[in-house]
Amino acid sequence: MVATTTSTGEGWSSRTAFILAAVGAAVGLGNIWRFPTLAGESGGGAFVFFYIACVFLLGLPLVLSEIFIGRVGQTDAVGSIRKVAAQSQSSPGWAVFGAIGAIAAFLIVSFYSVVAGWVLYYAGVMGGDLVDAIMAGEPFRGALAGEDQAQIQQRLGDMFASPGLLLAMHLAFMGVTLFIVARGVSSGIEKAATYLMPMFFVLLVGLVIYGAIEGDIAETAAFLFTPDWSKLTPQVMNSALGQALFSLSLGVAGLITYGSYIKEGSGLGSTSALIAVADTAVALLAGFMIFPIVFAVGLDPAAGPTLVFQTLPFAFQTMPAGALFGFLFFVLILVAAVTSSISLLEVPTAWGIGERGWSRHKSALIFGGGAFLIGIACLLGYNVWSDVRPLGFWSLFAETDILDTVDGFTGKVMLPVGALLTSIFIGWKADTNLLRTTTGLSPIAFGIWRFLIAWLCPIAVAIILVTGLFPSILGA
Ligand code: PFF
């Protein structure tokens, strides 16, 4: 039986509020931790150019598609897709990609909170003595002062070995996320975004200027913008495409949900473009914040996932005022992570409200609590359950621990499936007049959008899906 969908009636108070919340959702660990990590590992320029092409040719049309569905539907993702389908004489079965998205968002927030917990720990370590130093009127040297690389590596290892520490950080971060979502769209999510996003941009600009003064900006520009096309292997293209989807929060129905809180006005095309431009600008600025510091100290840009937690803390502690800027750097990531995690938790929460008729508090508590429990399994995978391989029977995940399995399964399977179904639905099933009038695009822009969403997106996303699942096709 199909549950009747109830609109929550909640909404953004202005277009600016929606843009801040949506940019806040897009800008997160993906921009500041994953993008520089991937760019560093993949050799820089060629990856960066290919990534930018993916954002604007595939990501942007999908951003507009998701916002369109939410704008028309005015309720949770499943109910919204059903409504667009009904108005387009298509099957209500398409709503399945809303459900896949809601499950993916629920799974992603579980490990996202664990990773954000590491950031919280580092913010605490790096800023721990700040108040003491101010009180004593002494220069702030930071807890890492004088530590060598081995000691900083040891600190990361010690953190992973401590389930209690990881759990406390995960609990704190998930608690904040749950608290904001439970307060609702305008007094929770919107308020958080309107305070945190301006703070985020001030911190970002400050850190980029610091990097430009103290670090090696010329080497960074050369690294990020000089393409060596031989480095653009199929694997690199695959990871650039996947990163573009993740960074723009696509495939998890996040923008459908946020779009459903837009009450009036159109201009969806320019809003979507703004989100894509802002997200990409932040990813590039994150590169311009991190690599000058890494290069200045002569470290390796290809350090991988430990770039932010090991390479960078070491680099900071060798630089002038590095303790303070290192602390601010982790605060910056934390702010970005909160505005993203609330958007993730909001997707299943809205589903519970719209499809099950639960109160917001109940729905947020059920999904926030559930994600917290899955997150515990993820963090135990670094210590007591380090031998557990949840999808060990599947060669693709044979070696992956719990957190990487949840990350890999959502990123390589659920997210591309969600994006693929979205593009087929909008490109081939949705009513053309409804698309035209709701988006308010000019005829030329509309034609380009329809071409990209009907042809390029499904084909390219299908390629990501297949090559992601069967890397042997790429000869990997
Ligand atoms: N876009 C976020 C990031 O780059 O960190 C991750 C994310 C947030 C994905 C919200 C999906 C989502 F709905």
Side-chain angles (χ1 to χ4, degrees):
M1 200 188 86
V2 179
T4 45
T5 303
T6 51
S7 165
T8 61
E10 294 184 279
W12 309 114
S13 60
S14 65
R15 179 166 183 253
T16 313
F18 167 65
I19 291 173
L20 284 175
V23 171
V27 171
L29 296 173
N31 302 63
I32 304 173
W33 173 53
R34 234 169 139 197
F35 175 80
T37 300
L38 286 174
E41 283 178 335
S42 314
F47 172 89
V48 172
F49 284 114
F50 191 75
Y51 173 81
I52 292 174
C54 291
V55 165
F56 290 100
L57 295 177
L58 307 174
L60 178 53
L62 282 162
V63 168
L64 179 56
S65 301
E66 287 206 12
I67 296 178
F68 158 80
I69 296 172
R71 174 75 185 88
V72 171
Q74 294 292 302
T75 185
D76 70 280
V78 170
S80 287
I81 298 166
R82 215 189 281 130
K83 205 171 285 175
V84 175
Q87 291 187 26
S88 310
Q89 276 83 47
S90 295
S91 159
W94 282 98
V96 71
F97 71 82
I100 295 174
I103 297 169
F106 169 68
L107 291 173
I108 292 174
V109 76
S110 70
F111 74 80
Y112 206 83
S113 169
V114 173
V115 178
W118 309 342
V119 177
L120 183 60
Y121 170 69
Y122 271 81
V125 168
M126 310 251 327
D129 305 339
L130 184 59
V131 177
D132 290 348
I134 293 172
M135 290 301 202
E138 287 168 0
F140 174 51
R141 296 183 63 239
L144 304 186
E147 288 195 4
D148 60 21
Q149 267 178 299
Q151 285 166 305
I152 287 177
Q153 186 176 359
Q154 177 71 30
R155 186 183 284 278
L156 189 62
D158 289 347
M159 180 187 79
F160 283 133
S162 166
L165 176 62
L166 294 173
L167 181 66
M169 298 298 131
H170 170 46
L171 175 66
F173 187 85
M174 189 63 94
V176 171
T177 303
L178 178 53
F179 176 77
I180 297 172
V181 170
R183 288 182 59 100
V185 177
S186 56
S187 30
I189 298 174
E190 176 176 324
K191 206 172 240 171
T194 36
Y195 282 107
L196 293 176
M197 291 315 288
M199 178 175 159
F200 172 82
F201 281 105
V202 170
L203 283 169
L204 182 67
V205 170
L207 279 154
V208 171
I209 292 173
Y210 174 78
I213 294 172
E214 296 295 343
D216 192 337
I217 198 142
E219 194 173 348
T220 302
F223 179 69
L224 288 177
F225 294 131
T226 312
D228 170 358
W229 297 114
S230 68
K231 295 208 167 131
L232 197 62
T233 60
Q235 288 94 327
V236 168
M237 290 193 237
N238 186 8
S239 68
L241 282 162
Q243 170 64 11
L245 291 183
F246 184 83
S247 189
L248 291 169
S249 309
L250 290 167
V252 302
L255 288 169
I256 301 183
T257 309
Y258 272 20
S260 78
Y261 305 131
I262 304 177
K263 292 299 166 204
E264 54 200 35
S266 54
L268 300 189
S270 53
T271 304
S272 304
L274 196 62
I275 296 170
V277 168
D279 188 65
T280 308
V282 172
L284 291 174
L285 283 174
F288 271 95
M289 174 173 74
I290 290 173
F291 291 118
I293 296 167
V294 171
F295 287 133
V297 186
L299 296 172
D300 180 11
T306 56
L307 179 71
V308 161
F309 294 105
Q310 201 168 298
T311 311
L312 218 52
F314 173 71
F316 272 122
Q317 71 89 18
T318 64
M319 300 183 67
L324 178 64
F325 283 93
F327 166 63
L328 293 178
F329 173 74
F330 284 101
V331 173
L332 170 96
I333 311 184
L334 210 49
V335 169
V338 171
T339 52
S340 295
S341 67
I342 56 182
S343 75
L344 286 163
L345 182 57
E346 178 62 16
V347 181
T349 300
W351 178 87
I353 300 170
E355 303 295 312
R356 286 281 160 266
W358 294 338
S359 72
R360 171 168 283 278
H361 281 162
K362 176 175 169 184
S363 195
L365 199 61
I366 289 175
F367 291 110
F372 175 65
L373 295 180
I374 298 173
I376 294 179
C378 292
L379 66 87
L380 291 178
Y382 286 95
N383 33 72
V384 283
W385 286 349
S386 58
D387 293 335
V388 175
R389 299 283 174 268
L391 297 181
F393 55 85
W394 184 346
S395 61
L396 191 59
F397 298 107
E399 299 300 324
T400 29
D401 59 38
I402 302 176
L403 189 146
D404 285 347
T405 302
V406 182
D407 183 7
F409 185 75
T410 49
K412 290 185 172 158
V413 183
M414 301 184 78
L415 221 121
V417 168
L420 181 63
L421 293 175
T422 310
S423 59
I424 297 173
F425 179 66
I426 294 295
W428 299 96
K429 297 289 169 185
D431 180 77
T432 308
N433 271 333
L434 186 62
L435 291 173
R436 211 187 292 275
T437 49
T438 311
T439 58
L441 292 179
S442 70
I444 293 178
F446 187 77
I448 296 173
W449 178 45
R450 280 307 287 272
F451 168 73
L452 293 174
I453 202 72
W455 293 99
L456 195 66
C457 289
I459 293 170
V461 176
I463 293 173
I464 307 181
L465 189 59
V466 173
T467 52
L469 292 186
F470 307 102
S472 54
I473 294 177
L474 299 175

